[in-house]
Amino acid sequence: MKRNSIMLRNLLLVNCFIFFTSIIQAQGQNLMIVNDATGFPDSTVVIDVEIQNEVPYLSFQFEMLLPEGFSYVMNSVSIYPPNPDIHLIANVLPGSQTLRVMGISLNPPVSDWVTVSFTLNTPSYTGTFPLNLLSAIFSTIDGLVNAGIIN
C-alpha cells in the first residue's frame, strides 16, 4: 500500500511538471539579436538588432553598451519593414556609453519580426568590436517580459 502511494505521488509530480512546462513553452519567447561591429577608422557603421517575437508586444526597450570610441549618430534609428505605427526613440544615457532604444506601438500589438537599425561613428582605428545588449524588455498585454538576448 505504501509503495502504491509513493508511485502515485511520483506520477502526480511528473504530470504536474509536464503540465507546467507545456504552459511555459506555449507562451513562446521574444528574442533580440545583435552581431559585432566591424568598421573602418573615423567612419560610420550601421548596426542591426533583430527582434524575433513569438508573443505580440506593445513596446520594447533595449540598452547597449557602446564600445570605447564609438558614438551614436543622432536621429539615425529606423525600423524595417517600415511600420508607421511604431514610434522609435534612441539616445545615449547622460554621462555614459549606454545607448537606450525604445519602440512604442500606438495601435494593436506588433506580431511581425522586425529589424531596428541605427548608425554609430567608429573610432580612429579599425577592428571588430563586440556589441552586447545589457537588457531587453517587451511590454505585452499581459505585462513586462524579459527578452532572450543573443549577442
Side-chain angles (χ1 to χ4, degrees), residues 34-60:
V34 64
N35 295 311
D36 294 342
T38 302
F40 295 106
D42 297 320
S43 184
T44 60
V45 62
V46 175
I47 305 300
D48 293 329
V49 178
E50 295 177 52
I51 298 176
Q52 299 178 357
N53 59 303
E54 299 295 327
V55 179
Y57 59 88
L58 300 169
S59 64
F60 65 86

Side-chain angles (χ1 to χ4, degrees), residues 88-138:
L88 297 171
I89 303 166
N91 214 336
V92 175
L93 299 178
S96 74
Q97 279 289 100
T98 303
L99 175 67
R100 178 178 287 167
V101 177
M102 298 171 58
I104 302 166
S105 173
L106 299 180
N107 282 319
V110 178
S111 57
D112 301 331
W113 288 19
V114 297
T115 299
V116 174
S117 300
F118 52 89
T119 304
L120 298 177
N121 292 313
T122 61
S124 58
Y125 47 92
T126 190
T128 299
F129 304 90
L131 295 176
N132 295 310
L133 294 174
L134 301 175
S135 65
I137 301 171
F138 288 93

Side-chain angles (χ1 to χ4, degrees), residues 3-22:
R3 184 174 177 191
N4 287 342
S5 162
I6 292 172
M7 286 178 49
L8 188 57
R9 184 185 62 175
N10 289 344
L11 185 59
L12 180 62
L13 287 173
V14 169
N15 283 336
C16 286
F17 175 76
I18 291 170
F19 175 72
F20 289 118
T21 302
S22 65

